[in-house]
Amino acid sequence: QVQLVESGGGLVQPGGSLRLSCATSGSIFNINSMGWYRQAPGKERELVATITSGDTTTYADSVKGRFTISRDNAQNTVYLRMNRVKFEDTAVYYCKVRSGLDGMDYWGKGTLVTVSS
């Protein structure tokens, strides 16, 4: 049973910082990539950042320079450091893992980030 559990969401003021974590467990032995997606109210889910098994990273233009994705190989955990957050960063953030064995994607249930003054 594969499980992805996000944590670290909450209320943050504009310009503030937050760190999201995603812990993985279960039958994921070959991870091709890991990433963060978000879905704001009334909008479609969108890519935020990804990181490959070789530590190659990509970012959406809207978060580039403000967010940083990283991995803890020992703990099989992926993080998203969010700096200088804006109102438009408000969304439910989802963790995703792609298996290198069969290409299957696994999703967490999400953690809510609310940017408000």
Side-chain angles (χ1 to χ4, degrees):
Q1 182 66 52
V2 175
Q3 290 187 326
L4 282 67
V5 181
E6 303 100 331
S7 62
L11 179 65
V12 61
Q13 293 184 335
S17 297
L18 209 63
R19 190 194 192 197
L20 306 183
S21 300
C22 175
T24 65
S25 63
S27 302
I28 306 179
F29 303 111
N30 298 97
I31 297 176
N32 175 261
S33 64
M34 309 177 79
W36 289 95
Y37 294 71
R38 68 185 182 186
Q39 187 167 20
K43 297 185 177 180
E44 295 185 15
R45 188 174 301 185
E46 64 177 355
L47 171 70
V48 176
T50 63
I51 184 167
T52 69
S53 60
D55 289 331
T56 299
T57 59
T58 60
Y59 296 92
D61 289 339
S62 59
V63 307
K64 189 173 297 183
R66 300 188 297 117
F67 292 7
T68 303
I69 188 171
S70 62
R71 295 167 52 231
D72 183 335
N73 293 332
Q75 297 294 105
N76 209 29
T77 302
V78 62
Y79 304 95
L80 185 69
R81 168 63 70 180
M82 306 168 60
N83 291 330
R84 304 188 302 280
V85 298
K86 306 175 180 179
F87 290 117
E88 52 263 40
D89 293 323
T90 295
V92 176
Y93 285 72
Y94 298 91
C95 176
K96 189 199 78 174
V97 172
R98 173 163 291 177
S99 171
L101 181 62
D102 58 8
M104 181 174 292
D105 289 340
Y106 300 91
W107 293 86
K109 294 183 178 180
T111 184
L112 176 64
V113 173
T114 302
V115 182
S116 177
S117 59

